[in-house]
Amino acid sequence: MNSQSLKLKPLISEAIEDPQLRSAVRKAMQSTRESRAGLVAQYDEWQHWRDRAHAIKHEVMNHLDEYLEQFESNCAKKGIHVHWARDAEQARQLSLDLIKHHKIKNIVKSKSLTSEEIHLNAFLEKNGIHPLETDLGEYIIQLKQQTPSHLIIPAIHLSRQEIGRLFQEKLGIDYTDDPEELLQVARQKLRERFLAAEMGISGANFAVADPGALCIVENEANAHHTTHLPPIHLAILGIEKILPDYEALATFLRLLPVSATSQKASTYVNILAEPTFERMGEGAKEMHIILLDNGRSRILADPQLRETLFCIRCGACLNHCPVYEHIGGHAYGWVYMGPIGITLSPQFLGRKEAKMSPFLSSLCGACYEVCPVKINIPHHLVRLRNDVIESEANSPLEALVIRAWAALAQRPQLYRMATWLPGKAQQLLPKDKAFPVPGYTKERSLGRFDSKGFRNRFHEWQKQRGQQ
Amino acid sequence: MRVSLFIPCLSEHMAAESAMNMVRVLDHLGCEIDYVEDQTCCGQPAFNSGYRKEIVPMAERFITLFKDKEVVISPSGSCAAMVKVFYDDLDLSDQARQDLEGLRPKFYEFSEFLVDKLGVQDWQGRFPHRVTYHESCHLSRELGIVQQPRQLIRLINDIDFVEMQEADTCCGFGGTFSVKYSDVSVAMVQRKCEFIEASGADYCIGCDSSCLMNIEGYLRKHGMNAKTLHLADLLAQSLNL
Amino acid sequence: MAKAEGAAMNDSRDKILNDIRQARDKAQVSSEAIPEEQESLPGNPDELWPRFEQELVRIAGEFHILEDLGALQALVTGILQQLGTNEFAVGRASLQKALGANDRPRPVLVPETDPVERRTLLDTTKLAVSMASFAIAETGSVAFLYGEKSETLSLFLSECVILLVAEKHIVRDKTEFFRRVRPGTSLVFISGPSRTADIEKVLVLGAHGPSRLVVCCVRNALWEELS
């Protein structure tokens, strides 16, 4: 388990004070919401698909060991090597061992959040290996030496001008900020590398137990190149990605593109069931899969929180989260961001290490409304907040106040007295002023305590109507 | 019909007039008003902050106070949701659980009660102003109360009701969130107020005093035109109750 | 991998599976019924092809119905002219024969090329023509199964790709496809030309794959001829 402690406040402040970032993220999220809504409205069956997907994941989690064994066995029959990694360190080492075994230098990568979770690139760099990201958004942020700020659109925080300057500086081309021209540059650069690569590293959106296949969805074709051009393909994925069969996959293939990119279907849905080079003269010669635990089986043990493993990393929750809209992805300090991010970080990194994360939400529930697998994120956040309290990582003063309040609330006369006091104390302030509340009253006026309080007003009203 | 009032702790002291307007409206509609003096707090702020075992006695007490009532009405969507939805998450005694089952169907949010139970279909009041409506999160997403407040607003004579952009986006209050992450909370309420201003409305109507207090706070601090009104205030004022 | 590593691997495997089983015992979560996909009735090709065309065009694909060999040849000639080239690649010998007949330029037959040289060749080949497996009407997608005699690189390296689908090989959606076909090999569903919106969410076609995708509904008789 990571011992990194997430310090969110400075990251958030930086984001809030960055008008260009906020404007870029807001515009992108707004248009994404609109296009998704338009698409969902066309499907009468949308709720049915969500229910089905939720139930499928529920079933898979209940029999995860069986499905994983089935997956492994079916893969082995076709010559796919399946490896198991307890944690990030083991996954990294397995990858490095494979690379060294084949004396590989030239690696291309397609988008894999799991590989970011285990900090694979940094580890390989330290060992003298420089994997090249091929998804355009990932390629851009690799050049900029940043981390992704969104699950699906990694460079959403950058303007085209920033990207133009980046390409000019790092690739030595003439400045342009036309997205089409920038894409052409990337296409050319990456095509050379695709053709020369010795290994392709990818993630996977889904792993299908029967018949033992990986499903990778994309729009650029870079994942196809990554997994079919180099002779060796290595895929790294979390154990929770398993689905039972193609019938189940079909439902998820409806929900994912709509939720992630407002498409009825991603441009390419690659289903890799075998290394095809021997038979076809193209495709990988060798296929390796690393099944990663890294804390997932621990989450599985919690009957409520295991629902958070249903996530298919579509990003819909981010797109609809008003908090995310105002702070972007970097402010969350971790590979997974937005509503699902703050739900997972305490579970992966520890309640104490990520004690502020579950509170970075107003519990509005917009995420739950759009989650294709119906993860009740607000419910889990309240539970995680309780976990933080129980692990005593909360403020002792706050705990004291809450407990005092709870005690008062059971003693109506004491309660009335306690709540009457601020109203009286307020009379010491000038007529239109209210008590300041740290943080709250910086940008908001606080109303004054009512001079009488509801109870007294109600009595007066009753008297007036002779109902005493 | 005899209705029992559930007055949120916030309303008791910071929005007492709105709560009184709810009383006036219910009275106008012929309800007999019952007010349990000894009610205190349902426990929502503490619950949302992660405290659980501390509020079990509060919740059990609350259930006991209201369990034998004919009907219970709250002028707050979030408080109603606390009782109707979230009390289930607490480690309540078997008796309390049983009582809660009985209480749940008798528990209403204010606009829900007027439309779904009383079947209010017309309103003689008049409010010749442009208004818009802020959809509180727990009200719409936990309780599914979306159309009822709008229906009531539309009944008022001479009212000019316009929907604001993103009416259902959170105003940023979230209880202690507004203090724990005040700059994010401010960003959210600022956006909400921008939408209100863009709608041209003079009044923003809502069904949750905590949201309205948050929005009003920003509007006033920044000298913006619109004012907030609880739905109860709107209905009462339209009839000069 | 070394034997010691293999043993460590089994340790991990055992540990993970064990942890999962323990987790299940601890969590004690009961089963939930899985709502079934609605019974997808086989669609009528007459209704499905117009839907397919509509969806394909919406995602920047191009659509033609090919009545006979002449139509296919004309299409290919036209596109070669637009691309300013005479060279193109095909996946099957029968296609090579059909499209390279008379005094027409003879296309490269992908399966015949040396695997090592193949990708370099296809990288510079602007047009590729392939025979695909099924059309999926709901999303304007084409399913391509990596069967015995198929090729795939041409689908992804060339600038423009023409996919031929038999008129009778159309299904309503992926659910129907999987029920009908039950694929044992790798496959890919292709929906339009490659694209990205990673820069300010501006949609640009022609990312790392084809920038142009042409799908042809081939009359059954012609399909037999070409197979």
Side-chain angles (χ1 to χ4, degrees):
Chain A
M1 175 147 77
N2 253 329
S3 57
Q4 84 183 87
S5 202
L6 292 185
K7 305 253 182 300
L8 301 180
K9 285 283 170 77
L11 297 172
I12 293 171
S13 294
E14 200 185 318
I16 291 271
E17 279 149 35
D18 185 344
Q20 191 271 318
L21 168 77
R22 289 179 64 179
S23 159
V25 174
R26 180 204 297 191
K27 253 181 29 191
M29 296 303 105
Q30 204 166 357
S31 79
T32 303
R33 287 195 295 266
E34 279 164 25
S35 41
R36 177 197 164 278
L39 199 49
V40 168
Q42 294 176 30
Y43 288 122
D44 290 332
E45 314 96 314
W46 184 254
Q47 293 307 326
H48 170 79
W49 292 335
R50 287 179 81 209
D51 289 336
R52 184 170 144 79
H54 185 275
I56 290 169
K57 282 284 182 180
H58 180 100
E59 149 87 4
V60 167
M61 294 310 156
N62 238 4
H63 301 278
L64 189 59
D65 55 329
E66 291 164 41
Y67 283 114
L68 286 170
E69 286 177 307
Q70 186 187 21
F71 177 75
E72 179 191 45
S73 156
N74 284 334
C75 284
K77 284 186 198 143
K78 291 171 291 180
I80 302 173
H81 304 274
V82 176
H83 312 274
W84 301 70
R86 275 188 320 270
D87 52 31
E89 187 189 332
Q90 192 173 40
R92 292 193 294 259
Q93 196 56 50
L94 281 169
S95 308
L96 185 63
D97 289 345
L98 186 63
I99 290 166
K100 284 211 170 120
H101 178 77
H102 289 275
K103 300 192 174 51
I104 288 168
K105 282 279 160 211
N106 200 335
I107 299 179
V108 288
K109 268 189 85 211
S110 65
K111 194 162 175 327
S112 163
L113 294 166
T114 310
S115 73
E116 318 242 7
E117 179 191 322
I118 64 171
H119 305 293
L120 181 66
N121 285 8
F123 177 74
L124 293 179
E125 299 275 349
K126 262 204 318 232
N127 282 277
I129 293 154
H130 310 285
L132 180 67
E133 294 288 346
T134 62
D135 171 276
L136 182 62
E138 295 281 346
Y139 177 70
I140 289 168
I141 61 170
Q142 187 177 43
L143 278 177
K144 204 153 166 71
Q145 297 181 311
Q146 283 183 344
T147 55
S149 67
H150 189 281
L151 295 181
I152 307 296
I153 330 163
I156 194 62
H157 58 293
L158 297 172
S159 67
R160 65 180 74 185
Q161 290 85 0
E162 283 178 287
I163 298 170
R165 282 194 292 274
L166 176 72
F167 275 30
Q168 181 186 29
E169 186 197 339
K170 297 283 170 109
L171 304 176
I173 59 163
D174 290 336
Y175 176 83
T176 174
D177 54 33
D178 174 48
E180 201 159 333
E181 285 175 27
L182 290 167
L183 173 60
Q184 282 312 306
V185 171
R187 182 190 166 100
Q188 245 182 17
K189 297 263 173 206
L190 287 167
R191 181 58 73 92
E192 292 165 15
R193 287 293 299 269
F194 280 129
L195 295 173
E198 299 160 291
M199 176 192 257
I201 301 179
S202 78
N205 297 91
F206 307 103
V208 188
D210 170 25
L214 294 179
C215 179
I216 302 174
V217 320
E218 53 155 346
N219 287 299
E220 296 180 24
N222 68 302
H224 186 92
H225 291 327
T226 298
T227 56
H228 284 78
L229 289 174
I232 305 188
H233 168 213
L234 169 63
I236 306 174
L237 50 139
I239 51 177
E240 86 283 19
K241 296 275 175 78
I242 290 276
L243 290 179
D245 51 34
Y246 284 145
E247 285 232 4
L249 179 67
T251 302
F252 282 85
L253 288 176
R254 298 190 130 109
L255 294 166
L256 176 59
V258 171
S259 304
T261 48
S262 310
Q263 291 175 291
K264 290 193 184 182
S266 306
T267 309
Y268 302 104
V269 176
N270 300 287
I271 298 182
L272 296 98
E274 48 176 347
T276 52
F277 191 85
E278 209 118 338
R279 183 165 58 75
M280 288 174 61
E282 34 178 278
K285 286 184 180 153
E286 239 181 83
M287 218 173 120
H288 293 261
I289 297 175
I290 296 178
L291 296 173
L292 176 71
D293 184 341
N294 203 27
R296 288 155 173 80
S297 57
R298 199 176 53 241
I299 298 174
L300 197 62
D302 189 304
Q304 178 190 346
L305 293 175
R306 64 160 49 181
E307 195 184 69
T308 61
L309 292 176
F310 293 12
C311 177
I312 61 174
R313 308 284 192 263
C314 70
C317 58
L318 275 71
N319 298 337
H320 291 78
C321 177
V323 172
Y324 179 86
E325 181 173 302
H326 292 289
I327 66 178
H330 291 149
Y332 291 81
W334 195 46
V335 57
Y336 306 117
M337 65 284 282
I340 192 63
I342 56 174
T343 311
L344 292 176
S345 62
Q347 299 186 77
F348 276 83
L349 305 176
R351 281 15 178 209
K352 291 203 163 106
E353 289 76 1
K355 63 182 181 185
M356 286 304 282
S357 299
F359 293 92
L360 187 50
S361 162
S362 63
L363 302 177
C364 78
C367 49
Y368 180 27
E369 246 183 353
V370 300
C371 177
V373 283
K374 295 180 79 167
I375 301 173
N376 191 341
I377 292 178
H379 191 219
H380 301 315
L381 288 175
V382 175
R383 155 67 200 277
L384 287 165
R385 293 177 183 192
N386 182 244
D387 286 0
V388 169
I389 307 292
E390 291 297 315
S391 71
E392 292 175 9
N394 58 323
S395 140
L397 179 61
E398 180 194 78
L400 193 67
V401 169
I402 296 279
R403 286 171 189 144
W405 179 259
L408 280 177
Q410 293 172 72
R411 296 164 179 76
Q413 281 176 316
L414 275 178
Y415 179 88
R416 283 198 281 274
M417 216 181 333
T419 52
W420 166 87
L421 277 169
K424 277 287 167 232
Q426 185 180 254
Q427 287 173 2
L428 297 171
L429 296 174
K431 249 220 244 187
D432 56 349
K433 293 271 173 266
F435 291 117
V437 176
Y440 187 91
T441 45
K442 189 157 155 254
E443 296 288 340
R444 285 169 281 209
S445 315
L446 194 56
R448 285 171 71 87
F449 273 70
D450 191 84
S451 52
K452 295 178 186 160
F454 173 81
R455 195 168 150 268
N456 293 323
R457 286 184 182 275
F458 183 73
H459 287 160
E460 281 174 12
W461 178 80
Q462 277 181 316
K463 259 209 198 92
Q464 270 174 10
R465 306 187 79 247
Q467 277 176 14
Q468 195 61 316
Chain B
M1 184 176 307
R2 192 170 167 76
V3 303
S4 196
L5 307 173
F6 164 25
I7 304 296
C9 51
L10 190 79
S11 300
E12 170 84 39
H13 297 288
M14 314 274 304
E17 187 55 21
S18 300
M20 274 313 301
N21 279 326
M22 179 175 88
V23 169
R24 293 179 185 114
V25 168
L26 290 170
D27 175 63
H28 169 79
L29 290 169
C31 298
E32 203 186 317
I33 313 287
D34 166 66
Y35 172 51
V36 175
E37 300 260 340
D38 283 350
Q39 65 185 276
T40 53
C41 175
C42 70
Q44 195 207 173
F47 179 73
N48 283 344
S49 295
Y51 295 86
R52 264 188 212 195
K53 52 180 199 268
E54 292 83 354
I55 64 171
V56 167
M58 272 167 89
E60 286 179 347
R61 180 174 180 273
F62 184 97
I63 293 168
T64 308
L65 278 180
F66 285 99
K67 66 178 184 179
D68 293 324
K69 300 298 174 186
E70 194 182 316
V71 159
V72 183
I73 303 183
S74 173
S76 161
S78 54
C79 298
M82 181 67 202
V83 176
K84 291 183 84 152
V85 179
F86 299 115
Y87 267 9
D88 266 345
D89 287 342
L90 298 175
D91 212 0
L92 302 172
S93 68
D94 290 336
Q95 183 60 55
R97 265 195 202 286
Q98 220 182 343
D99 294 338
L100 177 61
E101 283 307 307
L103 176 60
R104 206 177 267 127
K106 306 185 292 189
F107 214 86
Y108 292 89
E109 178 273 338
F110 175 61
S111 70
E112 182 195 15
F113 180 71
L114 260 54
V115 174
D116 295 350
K117 186 85 175 150
L118 292 186
V120 170
Q121 292 201 322
D122 68 88
W123 194 258
Q124 298 308 313
R126 196 176 163 261
F127 198 79
H129 302 278
R130 173 170 280 197
V131 311
T132 188
Y133 175 66
H134 163 66
E135 214 177 280
S136 295
C137 300
H138 283 130
L139 183 74
S140 61
R141 295 197 179 101
E142 293 293 346
L143 299 177
I145 298 168
V146 175
Q147 285 315 315
Q148 295 91 324
R150 292 173 159 96
Q151 265 176 259
L152 291 167
I153 294 171
R154 289 196 176 98
L155 292 178
I156 299 170
N157 294 309
D158 299 332
I159 203 163
D160 175 16
F161 176 33
V162 291
E163 290 279 2
M164 69 166 105
Q165 212 184 324
E166 293 197 29
D168 62 351
T169 296
C170 184
C171 73
F173 183 63
T176 51
F177 173 77
S178 61
V179 173
K180 285 192 158 113
Y181 285 110
S182 52
D183 40 3
V184 186
S185 171
V186 164
M188 288 163 72
V189 74
Q190 176 183 38
R191 194 93 177 102
K192 176 62 60 171
C193 291
E194 283 168 9
F195 287 136
I196 294 171
E197 193 170 49
S199 75
D202 294 315
Y203 294 92
C204 173
I205 315 297
C207 291
D208 212 304
S209 290
S210 44
C211 299
L212 295 176
M213 184 185 83
N214 182 42
I215 295 169
E216 177 82 24
Y218 189 89
L219 290 169
R220 294 291 69 79
K221 188 94 179 194
H222 296 263
M224 295 170 86
N225 171 57
K227 300 183 185 51
T228 58
L229 272 185
H230 193 283
L231 179 67
D233 296 329
L234 175 66
L235 291 170
Q237 284 182 26
S238 71
L239 272 178
N240 289 318
L241 291 178
Chain C
M1 297 237 225
K3 196 138 193 245
E5 288 160 1
M9 172 57 47
N10 282 329
D11 282 343
S12 285
R13 179 182 185 279
D14 290 342
K15 180 172 194 320
I16 293 171
L17 287 171
N18 217 38
D19 285 347
I20 292 171
R21 287 175 194 128
Q22 282 186 356
R24 196 214 348 272
D25 293 339
K26 180 156 179 262
Q28 293 282 331
V29 176
S30 57
S31 279
E32 235 178 64
I34 299 178
E36 284 305 314
E37 276 280 16
Q38 263 92 18
E39 191 52 53
S40 191
L41 299 167
N44 178 354
D46 287 340
E47 290 163 359
L48 294 179
W49 277 112
R51 173 78 194 272
F52 176 85
E53 179 180 0
Q54 188 184 21
E55 294 298 332
L56 177 66
V57 166
R58 213 175 47 82
I59 52 179
E62 298 163 48
F63 181 76
H64 298 274
I65 299 179
L66 299 177
E67 302 288 346
D68 53 37
L69 187 56
L72 175 58
Q73 288 168 338
L75 177 69
V76 172
T77 306
I79 291 179
L80 285 172
Q81 270 174 358
Q82 288 164 10
L83 295 171
T85 180
N86 253 347
E87 294 167 354
F88 65 110
V90 296
R92 302 212 198 166
S94 48
L95 261 186
Q96 188 186 44
K97 201 158 144 225
L99 291 174
N102 307 329
D103 54 357
R104 319 185 74 83
R106 193 179 154 79
V108 170
L109 177 57
V110 173
E112 263 179 9
T113 59
D114 176 74
V116 174
E117 289 165 13
R118 184 179 302 176
R119 59 192 56 189
T120 326
L121 173 74
L122 288 172
D123 178 44
T124 50
T125 304
K126 289 189 178 177
L127 172 67
V129 185
S130 274
M131 294 175 77
S133 317
F134 268 86
I136 318 268
E138 184 194 313
T139 50
S141 311
V142 178
F144 188 94
L145 282 128
Y146 295 18
E148 282 312 314
K149 298 189 174 80
S150 59
E151 82 303 338
T152 62
L153 282 181
S154 52
L155 300 178
F156 290 89
L157 288 175
S158 304
E159 193 182 309
C160 175
V161 171
I162 301 176
L163 290 177
L164 307 176
V165 184
E167 188 182 3
K168 62 188 172 182
H169 290 156
I170 186 164
V171 290
R172 191 192 303 275
D173 51 35
K174 290 191 183 77
T175 304
E176 190 187 334
F177 171 80
F178 283 124
R179 281 183 187 157
R180 207 163 133 178
V181 176
R182 303 200 178 279
T185 62
S186 297
L187 64 145
V188 59
F189 294 105
I190 300 171
S191 309
S194 71
R195 68 198 69 212
T196 183
D198 272 346
I199 297 177
E200 287 190 0
K201 284 206 69 195
V202 173
L203 182 66
V204 188
L205 299 180
H208 300 289
S211 54
R212 219 177 134 184
L213 184 78
V214 181
V215 182
C216 300
C217 165
V218 172
R219 296 293 185 201
N220 294 326
L222 174 59
W223 184 264
E224 298 309 315
E225 214 182 307
L226 295 172
S227 295

